[in-house]
Amino acid sequence: MKLEGRVALVTGASQGIGHACARALAREGASVALAARNQQKLDQLVAEITAAGGKAAAFVIDVSDEEQVKSGVKSALAQFGKIDILVNNAGITRDQLLLRMKRADWDAVLATNLTSAYLCIQQVIGSMLKQRWGRIINVASVFGQMGQAGQANYSASKAGLIGLTMAMAREVASRHITCNAVAPGFIETGMTAVLSEEFKQNAVKQIPLGRVGLPEDVASAVCFLASDDASYITGHVLNVNGGMLMG
Ligand code: NAI
């Protein structure tokens, strides 16, 4: 187990990619602080991880709310004593052509996908600096790298996360804290379940590996970046996209 003794905080852990990351990190021996808005779903995951012999606790946090991030992370630090690994995964879409995009939908996506990462990093970085070890992993997107029509807010938030990743990597590198991003392509989760069958079939045609990704594909990349195996990697964007974007 590569993460024995580590404590990880995963946002958006109630379903999809965050859920898979939390399970994978726990399987590697990390204690996991699970953050999301739905207490019931988080409790189910705590029960599952605990039943498998792992350690987990639920923290109800709306990551777009600064006060909830502050108090929730404080509770996690009080319970586990430290946070070694932060996975900024919570994210939403509010798709619309920019011409018609409501300001509220722009703001909600930026707050949930990007500002939340700034807030969470600020709350956990003290613990990492104290230990002179840490892993910050931001879940970006292929659309933050190449853009997507109808997703100007989402693409901007994910491109912003990539900039944040590189800036943060430079700020904390001297303390053995790495900051990386994963950029998933098309992953089968609640976020993509709403897309039409036709859209999905067309999307698969753009993927050299010929299939959509699974949350576990992203979780494996996150576990690698969290481990000591990735100690010389920082400021990097790891594509988990089946070859959808190369270069
Ligand atoms: P999902 O919709 O299944 O899960 C999103 C998670 O974020 C849920 O646990 C949800 O409760 C949580 N969340 C949303 N708003 C929140 C808030 N204000 N406070 C706390 N938690 C909140 O979606 P999925 O696919 O698992 O997405 C996870 C991350 O992966 C997102 O950042 C998404 O942008 C990113 N991603 C997903 C891709 C896909 O194809 N599914 C592709 C590229 C990136």
Side-chain angles (χ1 to χ4, degrees):
M1 294 207 284
K2 289 185 171 165
L3 301 175
E4 191 82 64
R6 302 286 185 205
V7 178
L9 170 65
V10 181
T11 69
S14 60
Q15 63 181 53
I17 292 170
H19 191 274
C21 287
R23 292 176 69 193
L25 291 163
R27 254 197 323 272
E28 287 296 337
S31 301
V32 263
L34 311 171
R37 292 161 302 177
N38 188 316
Q39 175 92 55
Q40 207 184 341
K41 285 191 191 172
L42 290 176
D43 286 345
Q44 278 168 13
L45 184 54
V46 169
E48 185 193 319
I49 290 172
T50 311
K55 282 201 201 96
F59 300 90
V60 174
I61 303 175
D62 178 337
V63 296
S64 66
D65 182 315
E66 184 166 354
E67 288 315 310
Q68 288 191 35
V69 171
K70 283 183 182 164
S71 61
V73 175
K74 205 168 155 193
S75 305
L77 280 166
Q79 180 149 349
F80 290 110
K82 60 173 184 167
I83 290 170
D84 305 288
I85 301 160
L86 168 66
V87 183
N88 283 315
N89 163 79
I92 56 167
T93 52
R94 292 282 185 277
D95 299 351
Q96 182 58 272
L97 294 175
L98 189 122
L99 189 66
R100 286 200 282 270
M101 188 178 286
K102 298 234 172 12
R103 173 65 192 262
D105 289 335
W106 173 270
D107 287 344
V109 169
L110 268 290
T112 305
N113 298 7
L114 179 58
T115 308
S116 64
Y118 147 74
L119 292 173
C120 289
I121 292 170
Q122 212 167 46
Q123 294 311 307
V124 304
I125 198 70
S127 172
M128 294 179 181
L129 287 169
K130 207 154 73 186
Q131 302 172 80
R132 301 181 72 86
W133 196 96
R135 295 282 188 268
I136 299 166
I137 301 156
N138 297 320
V139 180
S141 163
V142 68
F143 295 143
Q145 300 166 297
M146 60 184 271
Q148 172 75 337
Q151 290 198 314
N153 49 2
Y154 184 80
S155 301
S157 73
K158 295 301 186 179
L161 267 181
I162 291 172
L164 170 67
T165 299
M166 295 188 287
M168 201 57 212
R170 290 182 188 276
E171 282 191 21
V172 293
S174 65
R175 307 296 174 91
H176 312 290
I177 300 168
T178 66
C179 183
N180 292 291
V182 291
F186 193 127
I187 311 296
E188 213 167 333
T189 66
M191 187 173 273
T192 48
V194 294
L195 301 170
S196 71
E197 217 28 65
E198 188 191 355
F199 184 96
K200 286 186 203 171
Q201 277 171 17
N202 280 333
V204 171
K205 285 185 197 146
Q206 315 300 318
I207 303 172
L209 285 177
R211 66 167 177 92
V212 298
L214 299 173
E216 290 72 22
D217 292 318
V218 184
S220 300
V222 167
C223 276
F224 165 65
L225 291 172
S227 74
D228 281 322
D229 292 342
S231 59
Y232 201 56
I233 300 174
T234 197
H236 183 69
V237 182
L238 182 52
N239 291 343
V240 189
N241 62 23
M244 205 174 150
L245 181 78
M246 298 184 190

